Amino acid sequence: MLNTTTIKETRGDKIFKASVLVFVIIATLIVLYPLVYIISASLSNPNFVNSGEMWLLPKGITWGGYKIIFENQDIWNGYRNTIFYTLLGTFINLAVTLPCAYALSRPELYGKKKFLGFMMLTMFIWLYNFCSG
């Protein structure tokens, strides 16, 4: 028979958990408010948005803005390009990465350490350039 014991929370643990919960709720509200506002503003009548009558929930719901946007051919070209580049980029990445990963997993690969070192060096250079602006 297993002897299972539970760890009792101290008063400090409970206070800490409660304060973390309050912080997470406040942070979530701070993040969600602008998102809900943008969606509500996009669905509301522009007159209500411009006059400040729309605060959080949509007023005078209209789909006119979305109709105008989706009638624009450039939007559909952008979607097509995004899907094409995503699929092509994923295919090329997999076509290069999978054979490379398989080859590097083999212990008998000649020059494995040098090749891994080269890959790590280029990765760190890219990471440095990416993080420094």
Side-chain angles (χ1 to χ4, degrees), residues 43-63:
L43 293 173
S44 296
N45 185 325
N47 295 330
F48 290 124
V49 177
N50 290 334
S51 67
E53 293 180 46
M54 198 255 357
W55 185 70
L56 181 63
L57 299 177
K59 275 192 169 185
I61 294 177
T62 178
W63 295 95

Side-chain angles (χ1 to χ4, degrees), residues 79-90:
Y79 279 133
R80 188 185 69 237
N81 288 341
T82 299
I83 292 168
F84 174 74
Y85 290 132
T86 300
L87 293 176
L88 183 67
T90 301

Side-chain angles (χ1 to χ4, degrees), residues 97-108:
T97 303
L98 288 175
C100 181
Y102 175 75
L104 290 173
S105 73
R106 310 305 305 162
E108 65 272 6

Side-chain angles (χ1 to χ4, degrees), residues 20-79:
V20 167
L21 181 64
V22 168
F23 174 77
V24 168
I25 289 171
I26 291 171
T28 301
L29 291 175
I30 289 172
V31 169
L32 284 181
Y33 174 74
L35 297 174
V36 171
Y37 182 83
I38 292 295
I39 292 169
S40 295
S42 72
L43 293 173
S44 296
N45 185 325
N47 295 330
F48 290 124
V49 177
N50 290 334
S51 67
E53 293 180 46
M54 198 255 357
W55 185 70
L56 181 63
L57 299 177
K59 275 192 169 185
I61 294 177
T62 178
W63 295 95
Y66 288 101
K67 182 180 176 200
I68 292 170
I69 287 173
F70 289 122
E71 285 175 352
N72 186 346
Q73 191 59 35
D74 292 337
I75 295 293
W76 295 111
N77 289 339
Y79 279 133

Side-chain angles (χ1 to χ4, degrees), residues 7-21:
I7 299 174
K8 295 204 178 232
E9 291 182 349
T10 65
R11 185 170 184 251
D13 290 338
K14 291 177 183 177
I15 291 172
F16 177 75
K17 284 175 97 176
S19 63
V20 167
L21 181 64

